Amino acid sequence: MDLGLKGKTALVTGSARGIGASIAASLAKEGVNIIITDINDNNAGNITAEIQKYGVKCWFYTMNVADSNSVSECIKKIQEAGIGIDILVNNAGVTRDNLLIRLKEEDWDMVLNVNLKGAFNCTKAVAPIMMKSRWGRIINITSIVGVMGNKGQANYSASKAGMIGLTKSCAHELASRNITVNAIAPGFIVSDMTNALSEEVQKDFMSKIPLGRFGGVEEIANTVTFLASDKAAYMTGQVLGVNGGMYM
């Protein structure tokens, strides 16, 4: 099935590993050139080589999404290299979990800055490029806890709920330029981030999932690819839950 993506270029934040790397690979399989960005270049060579196996171009740029200057400089370098940006996936995210009364201010600030401000910084920097070409896809990776909350994650839940509001507002503003803005709210997806949770927490999550299993990174990646494609051209301002029925 032709998804109409061949030759497009996607910038995926936080894509040197985990869900971001899976998203990059899924898009590359459809002929999308990939701009990998991450806060450090430790895995630059490996992920770039992996993406290039699909016969597409791949570039790696170091970028701190929480720093507007870093984002601006990165986008400037990309444009100076003659690389376009058709698709933006705001995937970069961090957690700093604790109960509200024990939550440190710096942990609140870090999570909000990376997850929410980071999405704002990247969207603001990339939107003018898409507006000029009158085509674009912006996909924000939020979370199930952004719609239902979770104890010990006040900062993370707030940041992800904020991303949903950002998604809907940007969808209103950019629709006239043929740019769609949607969000994906993953449930419990097996990754480095979720593997760090205690066995007790993981069992608690499992008991709440009607499908009786945790999700795989490829299931988020497949949904991103769908939203980026022509098949989702009439969808904007939407939040797709990929959570095994954990939240209905």
Side-chain angles (χ1 to χ4, degrees), residues 4 52 54 57 66 93 96 102 111-112 146 160 182 195 236 247:
Q52 288 172 337
Y54 299 107
K57 297 176 182 177
R96 291 293 185 276
R102 298 175 185 165
V111 171
L112 269 291
K160 294 301 188 176
N182 292 291
N195 286 339
T236 196
Y247 181 82

Side-chain angles (χ1 to χ4, degrees), residues 13-164:
T13 69
S15 48
R17 59 191 177 89
I19 291 177
S22 182
I23 290 170
S26 179
L27 290 168
K29 289 175 186 176
E30 297 299 328
V32 178
N33 300 314
I34 304 294
I35 303 167
I36 301 287
T37 72
D38 214 282
I39 197 167
N40 62 60
D41 60 2
N42 294 343
N43 197 36
N46 291 336
I47 186 63
T48 302
E50 189 64 32
I51 296 301
Q52 288 172 337
K53 289 180 181 177
Y54 299 107
V56 299
K57 297 176 182 177
C58 183
W59 307 269
F60 188 101
Y61 287 89
T62 302
M63 182 172 75
N64 177 4
V65 297
D67 182 345
S68 60
N69 290 328
S70 175
V71 173
S72 296
E73 283 300 310
C74 182
I75 300 304
K76 182 180 178 182
K77 289 177 183 177
I78 291 169
Q79 289 189 285
E80 288 176 346
I83 305 168
I85 303 174
D86 305 295
I87 301 160
L88 169 65
V89 184
N90 285 310
N91 166 76
V94 296
T95 57
R96 291 293 185 276
D97 296 349
N98 216 328
L99 295 174
L100 178 66
I101 60 173
R102 298 175 185 165
L103 190 61
K104 296 177 181 178
E105 183 178 356
E106 54 263 36
D107 288 340
W108 172 273
D109 290 344
M110 171 175 273
V111 171
L112 269 291
N113 283 338
V114 174
N115 299 1
L116 181 54
K117 186 181 177 185
F120 160 74
N121 285 339
C122 294
T123 302
K124 184 178 180 181
V126 169
I129 300 171
M130 295 180 175
M131 292 171 72
K132 188 174 181 180
S133 63
R134 302 191 71 85
W135 195 95
R137 299 284 189 266
I138 299 173
I139 301 158
N140 295 323
I141 307 300
T142 176
S143 170
I144 188 173
V145 303
V147 291
M148 65 182 286
N150 191 38
K151 62 184 180 182
Q153 290 192 307
N155 51 358
Y156 189 72
S157 298
S159 71
K160 294 301 188 176
M163 286 182 77
I164 292 173

Side-chain angles (χ1 to χ4, degrees), residues 3-5 87 135 137 139 224-233:
L3 297 180
L5 288 172
I87 301 160
W135 195 95
R137 299 284 189 266
I139 301 158
V224 169
T225 302
F226 165 69
L227 286 176
S229 76
D230 289 342
K231 305 301 180 185

Side-chain angles (χ1 to χ4, degrees), residues 143-150 164 185-188 205 207-211 239-248:
S143 170
I144 188 173
V145 303
V147 291
M148 65 182 286
N150 191 38
I164 292 173
F188 196 109
F205 271 118
S207 69
K208 299 172 182 175
I209 302 173
L211 284 182
V239 182
L240 296 187
V242 184
N243 55 53
M246 188 176 176
Y247 181 82
M248 301 186 190

